[in-house]
Amino acid sequence: MPSHDFRAPRLFVDAPLAQDARVPLDRDQSNYLGNVLRLAAGAEVLAFNGRDGEWQAAIEGRKRPDGLVILQQTRPQDRLADLTYVFAPLKHARLDYMVQKAIEMGAATLQPVLTRFTQASRVNTERMRANVVEAAEQCGILSIAGVAEPVPLERFLSQRPADRLLIFCDEAAEVQDPIQGLQGAREAGHGIDVLIGPEGGFAEDERALLLRQPRILRLALGPRIMRADTAAVAALTLVQAVLGDWSGKGA
């Protein structure tokens, strides 16, 4: 696998990438390269679009950066494991943190769900998408995770494919070895949904509905109650290590 270059700035561009292609920069990108990073024409950055891999590119522009010329590919495109992070929305900064960490952990899709005790009823999906891109730029990630519109928990459960494994992280579950539980689900093979509930927990009728779902694994995340954003990191770590792309098995 080609090594990552963490010294060069990385920039997500929503344009096709190929050798000798020219890519225009929008105002924010121009400001970032020229005024924040103090880069001028001829300086090199890494560009990616989530489809064509990562490319070395040179800045063009006289008074300010206004475009990139694509030079050569540095890494081929990869793909994320089929892992969806399903969560009750959090407020502002904690949601930003959770989105960034979910992307770093390799989630391919972020799906907000509205539950009885969800505290944040409005979800800024554009802000979430911006956080997805920023996390990918900073961490050398090539694929851009999808951000779904929020839906009620009941609708999400009724629409999801029945052959996907649903990992239900439940603070009311009996504390057992989570790794052993996940190893028992290793034959999933049709994608994984990891569900973390709201700060107030699940209502009993929601829990009952969840436990009636096919292909469900109810999982306790240890003897202590975690904040929802902390639980996201804990749950995704366990899943990636046992069932995901950390294990070499793939989701």
Side-chain angles (χ1 to χ4, degrees):
M1 177 182 295
S3 61
H4 294 218
D5 181 356
F6 289 107
R7 294 170 296 177
R10 297 183 79 243
L11 199 66
F12 172 78
V13 294
D14 190 11
L17 297 176
Q19 190 168 358
D20 298 327
R22 280 178 161 75
V23 177
L25 297 173
D26 62 32
R27 179 178 298 179
D28 290 340
Q29 292 170 328
S30 176
N31 178 69
Y32 174 68
L33 294 178
N35 297 329
V36 178
L37 298 183
R38 305 284 185 181
L39 298 179
E44 294 185 355
V45 299
L46 298 174
F48 70 107
N49 61 6
R51 304 182 299 273
D52 300 323
E54 181 184 77
W55 293 75
Q56 188 178 29
I59 296 173
E60 293 187 313
R62 292 186 177 181
K63 294 183 178 180
R64 61 181 179 84
D66 58 23
L68 300 176
V69 58
I70 307 304
L71 303 177
Q72 61 183 354
Q73 191 176 62
T74 54
R75 286 191 287 158
Q77 185 62 41
D78 61 9
R79 71 176 185 88
L80 296 169
D82 189 2
L83 176 63
T84 297
Y85 181 61
V86 187
F87 61 95
L90 304 175
K91 293 181 180 179
H92 305 306
R94 289 180 61 193
L95 178 59
D96 292 345
Y97 172 87
M98 190 221 67
V99 169
Q100 293 162 5
K101 299 310 164 190
I103 297 309
E104 291 176 35
M105 301 298 291
T109 305
L110 304 181
Q111 174 63 71
V113 292
L114 305 176
T115 69
R116 182 84 51 81
F117 302 130
T118 297
Q119 294 187 1
S121 58
R122 300 181 64 183
V123 182
N124 187 338
T125 51
E126 287 305 310
R127 181 177 176 129
M128 287 177 58
R129 291 185 181 98
N131 276 301
V132 167
V133 168
E134 182 179 352
E137 287 177 333
Q138 292 180 352
C139 297
I141 296 169
L142 296 181
S143 297
I144 300 297
V147 176
E149 292 298 319
V151 295
L153 175 64
E154 295 83 354
R155 186 188 306 172
F156 167 73
L157 293 175
S158 69
Q159 295 175 347
R160 62 183 297 274
D163 58 358
R164 291 179 66 85
L165 174 65
L166 176 60
I167 298 176
F168 167 33
C169 298
D170 185 5
E171 72 277 4
E174 180 182 355
V175 176
Q176 296 179 339
D177 184 349
I179 294 178
Q180 185 176 28
L182 288 165
Q183 287 173 334
R186 184 164 275 169
E187 299 301 319
H190 298 284
I192 299 173
D193 299 329
V194 178
L195 172 63
I196 298 286
E199 293 155 310
F202 289 100
E204 284 307 312
D205 60 329
E206 292 172 334
R207 181 174 284 107
L209 177 62
L210 284 162
L211 294 176
R212 292 197 298 269
Q213 300 303 304
R215 302 208 63 142
I216 187 167
L217 174 62
R218 188 184 187 193
L219 202 65
L221 296 177
R224 288 166 293 279
I225 300 298
M226 299 179 187
R227 296 192 342 175
D229 46 347
T230 307
V233 177
L236 291 171
T237 298
L238 288 167
V239 171
Q240 286 286 49
V242 180
L243 299 178
D245 56 16
W246 294 10
S247 67
K249 303 290 182 181

